[in-house]
Amino acid sequence: RFPLSSDLLFVVIVLVHFPAKFTVIGPRDPVTAILGQETVLPCHLSPGMSAANMEVRWFRPEFLSFVHLYRDGKDQFDRQMPEYQGRTELLKAGLTDGNVPLRIFNIRHSDEGQYHCFVQDDTFHEETILELQVAGLGSAPLISVEGHQDGGIRVVCRSAGWYPEPEVLWKDLNGRHLPSLSEIKSPGDNNLFETETVIIVTEHANRNLSCCIRNTVLDQEKESAVYIADPFFPRVNSWMVSLSVILVVLFGFIGLTVYLFKMKGKYQMEKYTNKGLERCEMGDKSWLLEGVRALIWMNVTLDPDTTHPELVLSEDQKSVRRGDRRQDLPDNPERFDTWGCVLGSEGFTSGRHCWEVEVGDGRFWAVGVARESVGRKGWINRSPEGGIWAVGQWGDQFQALTSPETLLPLSRAPSKIRVCLDCDWGQVIFIDAGDGAPIFTFPPGSVPGERIQPWFQVGYQSRLCLCP
């Protein structure tokens, strides 16, 4: 027999009573997730062994208040963090091999940070820490020409919905970077960044230019281009260019009016003239024109099941405003979860329907119609291609949500808008309810033959109210 030293005896006792059963391993590099989508946080045991009867706890940073807990062979939700309720899933397909990854749905900005993957078997436990990095692609850059400055043309590029803070560049036709006059990046709704950059284009500079906004985390970008034509540059006096711009707007308005005449003829004109408005105000809202069916005035209400959690509905469901915080609402399939939108409760498949919306003096809103199957989760395409036909104001721009957007004169931005939907023609018309003048028309056949619902978007410090 060989006597054991006291130190060696201690090591033997530790190994017998506290064997190193496994280690918990996660990725060394941050896991990148896209806003509004889902992601998986990898984690596994080494050596591989079954974790089916172990405790698997994901938390950040409080151990007791967990992101997700698996124990006694099933998921436990009693003390789950409220912001993760209904949004997590432990992927159990690889449990017997020691794989314990966590899936998180509908990624939010607040999900960014460190996560602990903790695994315990009886009295033995191990954990690892991994990093989740959140990123978001914003809207395509919107370029607008906004008058003269410093002997050239002032061109502005705007975009929103980016995270983290994006890189913004002006480039010429050959991809060379162009210096900007100013650049503003500010966190807007949900801490997503809004950008505005200005460049001055002179007559003898390269007039083909593009605005490129790049997410450096995702290594993805969105780009829009513009060409500044000769008429925009001052030749003799600056007032000549101003006159040219006014004439372009005037001829565009005349062309729109002629188009409405051709499409609807005498019926369309009489329907939306001041004479017709006076008849409606006197209570005759079902007036008929010869050989044409009646226009149906709708008492539209808002559907709470579709309301974005940051929007607040009135008790009568006739008005909606942007709240100061995100409400704890069920994440049902009908609900918008990223864009501040809500649908009307009513849906239409045939006939002619009309309703009015007070937009007040808000600067961030949009109203129109959407097909019933419009996307509700993540970033949505606010255009006919995405199933939305609308007009709206976003800051200093009044526009029709075409693809790309059609800028409308800010002098035309009304305080009350009449939305007219003709399901049989597949057409949507927007009218200034104050003077009966047309604002914008989506042409016949542009709205598909499926159920169509009123659609509303409410931004910062804005409120929309449906008229009786």
Side-chain angles (χ1 to χ4, degrees), residues 208-228:
N208 283 292
L209 66 155
S210 63
C211 177
C212 177
I213 304 181
R214 184 171 178 267
N215 187 308
T216 55
V217 173
L218 299 175
D219 196 22
Q220 296 183 38
E221 62 186 34
K222 292 189 176 182
E223 186 173 5
S224 296
V226 68
Y227 174 74
I228 309 299

Side-chain angles (χ1 to χ4, degrees), residues 220-275:
Q220 296 183 38
E221 62 186 34
K222 292 189 176 182
E223 186 173 5
S224 296
V226 68
Y227 174 74
I228 309 299
D230 285 340
F232 287 95
F233 292 95
R235 293 295 183 181
V236 181
N237 293 308
S238 60
W239 66 268
M240 290 295 292
V241 177
S242 301
L243 179 61
S244 299
V245 174
I246 293 172
L247 289 175
V248 169
V249 175
L250 178 60
F251 284 126
F253 180 80
I254 293 174
L256 177 60
T257 304
V258 171
Y259 176 77
L260 291 176
F261 266 100
K262 290 182 178 180
M263 297 309 303
K264 291 293 185 176
K266 181 180 177 181
Y267 163 69
Q268 190 69 28
M269 289 302 295
E270 183 174 351
K271 183 177 179 181
Y272 299 122
T273 55
N274 289 335
K275 179 180 179 181

Side-chain angles (χ1 to χ4, degrees), residues 259 263-264 384 389 421-428 441-449:
Y259 176 77
M263 297 309 303
K264 291 293 185 176
W389 296 262
L421 169 65
D422 190 330
C423 295
D424 301 329
W425 280 69
Q427 184 177 33
V428 186
T441 300
F442 286 92
S446 59
V447 182

Side-chain angles (χ1 to χ4, degrees), residues 22-68:
F22 56 80
T23 57
V24 180
I25 299 177
R28 295 182 179 179
D29 297 327
V31 176
T32 300
I34 299 178
L35 284 167
Q37 299 185 15
E38 63 181 58
T39 194
V40 173
L41 302 181
C43 184
H44 68 275
L45 306 183
S46 179
M49 63 182 67
S50 176
N53 296 318
M54 299 183 185
E55 175 182 316
V56 179
R57 181 186 297 259
W58 286 87
F59 65 93
R60 55 168 312 220
E62 297 294 333
F63 181 84
L64 295 179
S65 182
F66 53 82
V67 175
H68 194 96

